[in-house]
Structure formats: C-alpha cells, structure tokens
Amino acid sequence: MRYVTAGESHGRALVAIVSDVPAGVPLDAAAIDRDLARRQHGYGRGGRMAIERDAVQILSGVRFGRTIGSPVALVIANRDWDQWLDVMAVSGEPNPRARVTAPRPGHADLAGVLRIGADDVRDVLERASARETAARVAAGAVAKSLLAELGVRVVSFVTRIGGVALETEPDPREVDQSAVDGSPVRCPDEGVSAAMQAEIDAARADGESLGGVFVVAAVGVVPGLGGYAEAGQRLDARIGSAILSIPAIKGVEIGDGFASASRPGSAVHDSILYEEGRGIVRPTNRAGGIEGGMTNGEPVVVRAAMKPIPTLMRPLPSVDLDTMKPVDAAKERSDVCAVPAAAVVAEAELAMVLADAYQDAFGRRSVAEMREALERFRDGLPR
Ligand SMILES: Cc1cc2nc3c(=O)[nH]c(=O)nc-3n(C[C@H](O)[C@H](O)[C@H](O)COP(=O)(O)O)c2cc1C
C-alpha cells in the first residue's frame, strides 16, 4: 500500500490516492473525518483551524463501506479557497500585491525558489505548507483500518513541548487514546498538559514558536515484518524515512534510540525468556519492537523530534528577493506549535509502512487472504 498527494494550501482541494489497497477493508468518510479533526485540533494551532472543518469525500475504490481492491481516491476541500481566487486561481493573471518575496528562515521558501527559479515564494510555500499533511492523514486512515482488521492499533502522544516534558512515558499498550485526545496538547498527564499549554501561551505572547517530541506506536504487531537480508527491507529504515518525511520532523528514534548510546549492552538489550502458555516473552522493550530490521512482536515504539514552527510573528531577518535588501521574513497565518497535530500525521505514516509490511508478509489481494495467512503464521509460533 502506498499513497501520493496533490493540492496546495490555499488551492481548491487536497487529494490523496492510495494504491495497492486490498479488497475488504472497511472504510467510511466519518472514520477518516475523525482523524482529520484530530490533526486539526491541538493547543497552539493558528487561526485557520477555526475556519477549516476538514471533511473527506471518497471518490473511488469503495463500495458500500468496503474497499474493492482498486485505488482509493480521497478529496478534502479547502473551505476558504474562494477567498483566495486572486492569489490561487488556475488561470488568468496573478494579483501582483499578493507576491511573497521575503523567504522565512526554516521554511522551504528560499531553497524552493532557488530550486525552481520562481520569483514568487508563494509558488513554493503553497505546496511546502503542512496543510498537505491532511491528505496524508486521510490516506493513513485506509492503512489504519486495514491494520485494525489484523489486530493492530496505532497510538500517539506528546511527551515534550519546548521546555516542558513528560518524565515517564506510558507503555503504549496502556495508552487510552481517547483520553490523550481529550488533552489539548495530546499529552497523557494532566499536570504536564497544563504546563505545556502555559509554555505555548508564553511563546505566543512573545511572537515565538515551539517544537517538541511525540511518541507514535503500534500495538499488536506480529513478529517478523520487514527483513534483515536487504537494505530496503529493514523496517526501521522504512519507518525512519516515513516519519522524517513529515515537515519539521528533525529526529527519529526507535525504542531507546540515542539514550542507548551511553549505556552498556546489558542495560540496552531485551532478555529473551520463555513462559509455558505465553511462549517467548520480552520483559523489557528498549528496542522499540524492532530487532535486525524486523518487528519482534513487541509494540513498535517510535519517538520523533519536531523543530519549532518557522513562521514567526516576531520575524527573523531575511532579504527581499527583488532588491536583496534586508527585510523581516514573511508572516503567513500560522501555528505557534503543531506537535500534537504532527503526532497524528505520524500515526498515518507509521500505519502506511506497517500496512505495506503486512501485505509483503501475508498477501496483497484481500483482507480475508491476509487474515488466513496471518493465522497460519501465528499458529506456527512457539507457545
Ligand atoms: C502539522 C504541522 C503543522 C505545521 N504548521 C506550520 C505553520 O502553521 N507554519 C509554519 O511556518 N510551519 C508549519 N509547519 C512546519 C513546516 O511545514 C515545515 O517546517 C516546513 O515545511 C519546512 O520543512 P522542514 O522543517 O522539514 O525543513 C507545520 C508542520 C506540521 C507537521
């Protein structure tokens, strides 16, 4: 299973096409919309979130609530497109006053115009904007639904916003996703949630922006997904690439990641024990569910670092690309902090990688075929 997206931030709509979708995956627009809403909310989001209420339209690949093995096309309208016709129309002449010539440090603006030779940063920023991640979340909902059919649940929660961090991360098996979603910053601890919101308030008052850290995890994953024999099979590499493809994500760890580097091996690796009836058990999961490029049957635990939002209300120095004179960087309507939303995008990315890995292992044609192969594989595991 894989996806492509199209669409600009203030264009008519965002589009996702998910291909290689097995037949028989339950899919309805309301379930996708729930994830779209989870991506839109979160303390620290900008004014646009009040305008947009994302709703998906399923154009193809689904009959009467189930996929039929053909590509699934999804469309999310940009509700305020008609306010942007003088800037984003497909034909006619652009409004010269709407040109953007002061690239924002940290965004795709400067490197983008240098890449494509544009004289208007808007040609770049409209697509580089993380508005595109709404289409990813819609595509990821297809993967999540397939995974749910195979007994896998994908969860996420925020562990740090700026200087405020959760001290002890919960075991993803015990995370109540609806309780997490009840927190405005999607953090499982109420006290820390409140401190994170205060941190965002202070940043907003200062014209600043904030980044942070989140965990995205998959629970109920069978061992042996991915592979050790070829570089392209390694699941940690595939997950790392998918999570780093999210705008503003600058670091990814699997399991204990960087912390492992300073500990001796006996405090890093997870013992292998056998218990009658339960089979092989791992008393710890420091590896984050992946050994040798494969799932090992423990929850897959991924931690990602998001940098602060590049658009600042107190902008950094930039240059005007027309005159090369110093100016303040451009200001677009912007989030102060989008770590809770990025975690929802990461659920979609992790789900897509895992759905594809399940298809590699258990077949690509239908949910029924995959379930049967999965059961046969499970029956062969040591008990
Ligand atoms: C969910 C989400 C929302 C974002 N919102 C904004 C925003 O409102 N303003 C902004 O400047 N950057 C925002 N970003 C970050 C930029 O999209 C990102 O920094 C930019 O595309 C440059 O890519 P890079 O940071 O990976 O280098 C957001 C990112 C995500 C994942």
Side-chain angles (χ1 to χ4, degrees):
M1 194 186 293
R2 60 198 173 275
Y3 74 87
V4 290
T5 71
E8 279 79 37
S9 181
H10 300 96
R12 183 189 281 258
L14 295 159
V15 178
I17 295 181
V18 191
S19 52
D20 209 3
V21 180
V25 180
L27 202 64
D28 70 272
I32 301 176
D33 288 351
R34 276 196 290 281
D35 265 356
L36 291 175
R38 291 173 65 234
R39 190 202 75 96
Q40 283 197 289
H41 294 148
Y43 206 76
R45 302 306 305 278
R48 183 163 191 177
M49 297 308 131
I51 302 166
E52 301 270 359
R53 288 276 176 284
D54 282 340
V56 79
Q57 232 191 318
I58 302 174
L59 293 194
S60 75
V62 178
R63 287 188 69 222
F64 306 107
R66 289 201 178 257
T67 59
I68 54 173
S70 45
V72 174
L74 305 166
V75 175
I76 305 159
N78 284 327
R79 291 270 165 96
D80 62 345
W81 178 62
D82 48 3
Q83 316 289 309
W84 284 79
L85 280 176
D86 61 332
V87 182
M88 292 303 292
V90 171
S91 58
E93 292 298 319
N95 173 353
R97 286 192 311 279
R99 267 181 78 222
V100 179
T101 57
R104 293 162 298 173
H107 219 300
D109 302 358
L110 177 62
V113 291
L114 297 179
R115 180 183 202 263
I116 66 169
D119 69 354
D120 184 351
V121 173
R122 187 161 295 285
D123 284 353
V124 172
L125 71 85
E126 279 290 329
R127 178 64 183 165
S129 154
R131 173 82 186 129
E132 182 264 348
T133 60
R136 299 193 195 199
V137 166
V142 182
K144 276 187 183 176
S145 184
L146 170 61
L147 292 176
E149 292 296 293
L150 305 174
V152 178
R153 192 165 61 93
V154 178
V155 298
S156 72
F157 50 90
V158 172
T159 63
R160 168 182 290 279
I161 286 183
V164 180
L166 188 65
E167 272 189 10
T168 321
E169 276 174 21
D171 182 324
R173 282 172 286 220
E174 275 137 40
V175 168
D176 173 353
Q177 192 64 85
S178 55
V180 168
D181 288 339
S183 152
V185 283
R186 309 199 55 254
C187 172
D189 182 290
E190 252 178 61
V192 179
S193 268
M196 286 174 170
Q197 288 169 68
E199 183 92 340
I200 292 169
D201 288 340
R204 192 192 298 278
D206 248 7
E208 270 294 358
S209 66
L210 291 173
V213 177
F214 61 81
V215 168
V216 58
V219 177
V221 182
V222 79
L225 299 178
Y228 56 88
E230 309 266 357
Q233 293 174 343
R234 290 189 65 106
L235 201 66
D236 36 11
R238 286 156 68 182
I239 291 170
S241 168
I243 302 296
L244 281 170
S245 80
I246 302 169
I249 301 305
K250 295 298 140 195
V252 177
E253 298 181 326
I254 313 272
D256 283 358
F258 275 77
S260 311
S262 59
R263 294 185 200 138
S266 60
V268 169
H269 304 304
D270 305 302
S271 303
I272 301 173
L273 309 176
Y274 177 78
E275 268 179 33
E276 205 68 47
R278 279 182 70 198
I280 287 170
V281 290
R282 313 298 294 268
T284 52
N285 184 24
R286 299 164 182 141
I290 298 188
E291 291 172 304
M294 296 163 288
T295 54
N296 64 8
E298 296 298 304
V300 172
V301 184
V302 182
R303 202 170 297 99
M306 183 177 194
K307 75 183 189 184
I309 297 288
T311 306
L312 297 175
M313 291 307 124
R314 201 148 49 84
L316 284 172
S318 181
V319 294
D320 185 301
L321 295 176
D322 281 344
T323 63
M324 294 301 160
K325 295 259 163 52
V327 284
D328 281 350
K331 285 192 255 180
E332 284 269 313
R333 187 170 51 188
S334 181
D335 301 327
V336 173
C337 173
V339 181
V344 176
V345 180
E347 290 177 17
E349 289 292 345
L350 180 61
M352 198 54 78
V353 171
L354 289 177
D356 192 54
Y358 265 92
Q359 287 183 291
D360 284 344
F362 302 110
R364 315 194 81 85
R365 294 180 297 190
S366 72
V367 173
E369 172 190 58
M370 292 180 78
R371 270 221 202 94
E372 212 177 294
L374 178 61
E375 255 159 52
R376 232 178 299 122
F377 178 76
R378 278 220 173 98
D379 286 347
L381 295 174
R383 285 270 162 75

